[in-house]
Amino acid sequence: MASTSTPRSSSELTITVEHNPSKSRLAELGINSWPKWGCPPGKYMLKFDAQETCYFLRGKVKVYPKGSSESVKFGVGDLVTIPKGLSCTWEVSVAVDKHYKFESSSTSSKCITDI
């Protein structure tokens, strides 16, 4: 049996990336009514206390989930879903500007720390 004793470890959580979703898909989600967030290039440690869906207006990011040797790349034009409980490091090579929405009614947000 290939299970682990920590069912919510970052290595088991998956970031999904939808490259260049259609305008109708973005309108259906109401992307333009979501708040915006941005950051300059740099390296950041993040922990997601709620699932986040975001649409990148600009930027280029490589994400390294904690406990995984794999990375995920996304940027301008991508619709990204980041699962609740994920701890990761973001390497931002081009400043980020994105619309975002947390799938939680609580005030939980991600903690950001420069590395």
Side-chain angles (χ1 to χ4, degrees), residues 72-87:
V72 179
K73 296 179 187 178
F74 45 84
V76 65
D78 289 339
L79 181 65
V80 181
T81 302
I82 302 165
K84 178 181 178 179
L86 182 72
S87 292

Side-chain angles (χ1 to χ4, degrees), residues 82-108:
I82 302 165
K84 178 181 178 179
L86 182 72
S87 292
C88 56
T89 300
W90 279 35
E91 285 187 2
V92 178
S93 58
V94 176
V96 167
D97 187 17
K98 67 177 184 170
H99 284 289
Y100 70 95
K101 179 181 176 184
F102 287 107
E103 299 298 327
S104 171
S105 59
S106 72
T107 57
S108 296

